[in-house]
């Protein structure tokens, strides 16, 4: 299920929110509409937490996370850190990291198993990502762009990348990430995928300028048409893997 | 192209051409980020005539750009520490969607409305309206947009309905409200919404050709549009303008006057002052959108201003704007 929404007349909702399989972060400010749209979709399944990061509303671009953990930039305040630690489930490790490139959401793109990282991230940061998020980290570029976190978004089921990604790059990334990938746009031709779209395994939110064609591409690559919350899917997957062996 | 002798080199060399301390501070804040490279050179070129589909219009277009081309090129200046820009005027087209939308973000203050639909209306009117870009710009960024939309023609679209409701809601002035109601009610077919938004530091030398272009296009549209209905939709009797101003905080208490010789009203855009003087009626309302306030503006409150100007006053506006900018 994909929902179209706006944040104060702005369709770049991936900037003001962060959605994972275990929690959802939403920026403070704007009208209550933004928060309540997320609540309506997710409230029964995962916590929806209103927060700011480093005193700003651009939380989606400053932090990176998945169901295992959440990474915050060095300029996150102590109160914000405490608030997040209190509001998120105990299984989620919340960690503030010292990294020069502080817009972690623009530098890191991840799902629950794999992460793509900006080629210039520190070695310690890469290790922290692997530790806190429980993922395998690959330094990569997407269509020649080093801001991998901005130009590609992927969940455990599929991914969407910058429209100018070549077929070879698509294949290479798909092999690394082990999910099907498609090159496309969001918000009526915008190539900054992660700014216009935020997605987890069973639901997605995109800006209201997104056309019906873009929406159908999103729904098909992320397999959202008959998706259920991932807790159930994980149970199924465990039993399936047993039978493969 | 013939070049007239430079008239303003000394005045433009160190001082930016602005009309108030506020505009100057805003323009300086955004301009000084520029490289050491090149120069401000506003220059007109032919509009993208490929997108216009009326033969009569093409000839008129060429004549117009030739005359205004020579007057604009007289403004070629050389100064250091500024960015060179060759501005080009184009007809609005669908690919300008994102650029125009960004310029119109705060058009109706912080109201959540069908802005995308509104932008589509502007882009769907290639014959009346102009988009200003920089020549050979890789980003294809939009620096200014002007258009005139007939409110009656689009009265059923969601964005226009929301716009009307918003105007009626923010109008607190009771005598003016009646006039506003009749304007957007019975007389809606005669009303043109004049949309004009631009980046803060757009050179003011571009304003006369920009507005001249718009009003000329409106006139040509009354003859060149394919159907009689469309032709008459451009015979505006009134222009409705929504813009922003700064009002001194103590202006209301002291009965409209302010001590210390400070201005009661500061206009964000120079043409607004002329429109205000020519307007038949207007009202202002407090603005809620978050804004960056310069130190000089700490005594001022941001307000929205809605004005109605009769179409017959437009030629006077054009003359006054020309003399204001060319000072």
């Amino acid at each position: 299920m994909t929902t179209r929404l706006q944040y104060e007349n702005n369709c770049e909702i991936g900037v003001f929110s962060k959605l994972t399989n275990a929690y959802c972060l939403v920026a403070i400010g704007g009208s209550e509409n933004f928060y309540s749209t997320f609540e309506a979709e997710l409230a029964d399944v995962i916590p929806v937490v209103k927060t700011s990061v480093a005193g700003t509303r651009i939380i989606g671009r400053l932090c990176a996370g998945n169901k295992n953990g959440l990474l915050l930039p060095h300029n996150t305040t102590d109160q914000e850190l405490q608030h997040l630690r209190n509001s998120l489930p105990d299984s989620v490790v919340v960690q503030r990291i010292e990294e020069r490139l502080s817009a972690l959401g623009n530098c890191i793109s991840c799902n629950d198993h794999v992460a793509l990282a900006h080629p210039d991230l520190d070695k310690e940061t890469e290790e922290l990502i692997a530790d806190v998020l429980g993922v395998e980290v690959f330094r990569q570029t997407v269509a020649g762009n080093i801001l991998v976190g901005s130009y590609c978004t992927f969940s455990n089921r599929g991914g969407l990348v910058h429209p100018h990604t070549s077929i070879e790059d698509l294949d290479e990334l798909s092999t690394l990430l082990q999910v099907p990938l498609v090159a496309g746009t969001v918000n009526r031709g915008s190539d900054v995928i992660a700014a216009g779209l935020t997605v987890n395994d069973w639901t997605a939110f995109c800006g209201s300028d997104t056309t019906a064609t873009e929406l159908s591409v999103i729904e098909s690559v992320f397999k959202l048409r008959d998706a259920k919350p991932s807790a159930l899917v994980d149970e199924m997957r465990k039993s399936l893997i047993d039978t493969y062996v | 192209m013939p070049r007239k002798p430079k008239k303003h080199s000394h005045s433009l060399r160190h001082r930016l051409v602005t009309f108030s301390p506020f505009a100057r501070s805003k323009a300086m804040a955004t301009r000084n980020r520029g490289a050491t490279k090149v120069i401000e050179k506003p220059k007109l070129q032919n509009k993208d005539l490929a997108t216009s589909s009326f033969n009569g219009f093409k000839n008129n277009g060429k004549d117009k750009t030739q005359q205004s081309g020579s007057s604009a090129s007289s403004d070629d200046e050389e100064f250091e520490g500024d960015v060179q820009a060759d501005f080009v005027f184009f007809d609005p087209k669908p690919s300008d969607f994102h650029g125009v939308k960004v310029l119109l973000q705060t058009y109706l203050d912080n109201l959540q409305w069908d802005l995308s639909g509104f932008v589509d209306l502007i882009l769907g009117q290639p014959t009346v309206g102009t988009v200003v870009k920089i020549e050979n710009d890789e980003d294809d960024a939009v620096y200014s947009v002007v258009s005139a939309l007939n409110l009656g023609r689009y009265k059923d679209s969601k964005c226009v309905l929301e716009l009307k409701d918003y105007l009626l809601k923010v109008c607190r002035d009771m005598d003016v409200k009646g006039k506003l109601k009749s304007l957007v009610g019975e007389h809606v077919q005669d009303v043109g919404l004049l949309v004009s938004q631009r980046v803060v530091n757009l050179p003011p030398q571009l304003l006369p050709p920009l507005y001249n272009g718009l009003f000329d296009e409106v006139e040509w549209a009354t003859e060149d549009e394919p159907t009689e209905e469309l032709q008459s939709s451009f015979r505006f009797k009134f222009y409705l303008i929504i813009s922003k101003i700064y009002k001194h905080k103590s202006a209301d208490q002291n009965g409209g006057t302010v001590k210390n010789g400070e201005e009661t009203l500061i206009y964000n855009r120079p043409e607004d002052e002329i429109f205000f003087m020519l307007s038949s009626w207007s009202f202002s309302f407090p603005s809620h959108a978050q804004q960056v306030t310069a130190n000089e503006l700490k005594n001022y409150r941001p307000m929205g201003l809605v004005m109605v100007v009769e179409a017959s006053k437009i030629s006077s506006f054009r003359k006054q704007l020309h003399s204001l900018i060319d000072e």
Side-chain angles (χ1 to χ4, degrees), chain B residues 49-240:
Chain B
L49 294 172
T51 61
S52 103
S53 46
F54 306 112
N55 286 328
F57 185 62
K58 274 194 182 139
N59 291 331
N60 290 338
K62 280 211 192 88
D63 291 342
K64 173 193 78 145
T65 51
Q66 268 174 11
Q67 345 158 289
S68 34
S70 52
S71 65
S73 63
S74 70
D75 295 341
D76 285 353
E77 303 294 352
E78 306 276 318
F79 30 148
E80 306 297 297
D82 288 310
V83 181
Q84 177 171 42
D86 289 343
F87 290 96
V88 189
F89 290 11
F90 288 106
D91 291 333
K93 49 188 196 292
S95 59
D96 299 325
F97 179 80
H98 290 286
V100 173
K101 187 171 180 190
V102 161
L103 287 174
L104 288 170
Q105 281 283 352
T106 49
Y107 188 58
L108 291 188
D109 208 14
N110 58 352
L111 179 78
Q112 275 232 320
W113 64 305
D114 185 19
L115 178 61
S116 304
F118 188 66
V119 174
D120 285 333
L121 291 185
I122 294 177
L123 300 178
Q125 241 185 225
T127 49
V128 172
T130 301
V131 158
V132 177
K133 299 189 195 176
I134 284 185
E135 196 177 352
N136 299 328
D137 186 11
E138 306 147 351
D139 298 325
D140 205 28
V142 175
Y143 288 80
S144 175
V145 62
V146 291
S147 187
L149 300 174
N150 182 308
L151 287 183
R153 179 177 170 189
Y154 302 111
K155 68 178 179 330
D156 295 322
S157 57
K158 182 162 174 246
C159 49
V160 172
L161 290 169
E162 287 175 329
L163 186 129
K164 279 191 212 164
D165 286 339
Y166 177 74
L167 290 179
L168 288 169
K169 192 183 76 166
V170 289
C171 180
R172 293 289 153 81
D173 191 337
M174 283 305 127
D175 356 302
V176 164
K177 197 161 190 170
K179 295 186 198 157
L180 180 66
K181 265 201 188 126
S182 86
L183 197 76
V184 300
E186 314 122 32
H187 301 297
V188 74
Q189 289 292 342
D190 307 321
V191 180
L193 181 69
L194 190 67
V195 179
S196 167
Q197 299 281 93
R198 54 183 184 269
V199 294
V200 169
N201 54 350
L202 196 80
Q205 295 93 328
L206 288 176
L207 294 179
L210 197 60
Y211 279 101
N212 285 339
L214 179 71
F215 294 121
D216 286 341
E217 285 183 319
V218 168
E219 224 179 283
W220 295 329
T222 59
E223 291 152 30
D224 296 332
E225 289 284 334
T227 70
E228 177 56 49
E229 200 188 329
L230 285 177
Q231 287 180 13
S232 57
S233 76
F234 286 106
R235 292 194 185 101
F236 299 125
K237 294 211 183 82
F238 305 99
Y239 284 99
L240 180 66

Side-chain angles (χ1 to χ4, degrees), chain A residues 93-105:
Chain A
V93 179
V94 179
Q95 177 85 348
R96 179 168 57 187
I97 64 179
E98 295 301 315
E99 162 60 59
R100 180 182 61 95
L101 301 172
S102 57
L104 300 175

Side-chain angles (χ1 to χ4, degrees), chain A residues 40-214:
Chain A
E41 265 302 301
L42 305 167
D44 302 331
V45 193
I46 57 176
V48 181
V49 181
K50 269 197 197 176
T51 184
S52 62
V53 171
T56 69
R57 304 181 296 180
I58 51 170
I59 62 173
R61 303 294 90 218
L62 291 182
C63 66
N66 61 12
K67 75 172 187 336
N68 302 319
L70 176 66
L71 292 172
L72 297 167
H74 62 87
N75 41 6
T76 315
T77 65
D78 292 335
Q79 293 94 320
E80 289 162 354
L81 191 59
Q82 201 50 48
H83 170 61
L84 283 167
R85 286 215 171 108
N86 292 342
S87 322
L88 296 183
D90 293 333
S91 56
V92 178
V93 179
V94 179
Q95 177 85 348
R96 179 168 57 187
I97 64 179
E98 295 301 315
E99 162 60 59
R100 180 182 61 95
L101 301 172
S102 57
L104 300 175
N106 286 338
C107 299
I108 304 164
S109 184
C110 63
N111 63 8
D112 294 334
H113 310 286
V114 190
L116 292 181
H118 189 295
D120 299 336
L121 282 183
D122 292 340
K123 200 80 184 76
E124 300 97 71
T125 308
E126 197 183 320
E127 286 164 16
L128 266 169
I129 299 172
D131 241 350
V132 173
L133 301 184
V135 292
E136 207 180 336
V137 184
F138 296 104
R139 287 169 188 262
Q140 265 287 349
T141 61
V142 171
N145 285 306
I146 49 177
L147 292 177
V148 288
S150 307
Y151 292 101
C152 92
T153 299
F154 55 98
S155 70
N156 296 326
R157 318 187 75 196
L160 187 63
V161 297
H162 189 286
H164 297 151
T165 313
S166 62
I167 310 277
E168 300 84 41
D169 280 353
L170 262 181
D171 284 339
E172 190 190 330
L173 281 171
S174 196
T175 327
L176 274 180
L177 303 176
Q178 290 295 303
V179 294
L181 293 179
V182 122
T185 63
V186 82
N187 276 338
R188 220 165 139 158
S190 168
D191 50 9
V192 192
I193 309 292
L197 168 71
T198 185
V199 67
N200 69 8
D201 288 349
W202 72 89
T203 188
F205 296 88
C206 62
S208 47
D209 279 343
T210 311
T211 63
T213 322
E214 291 168 339

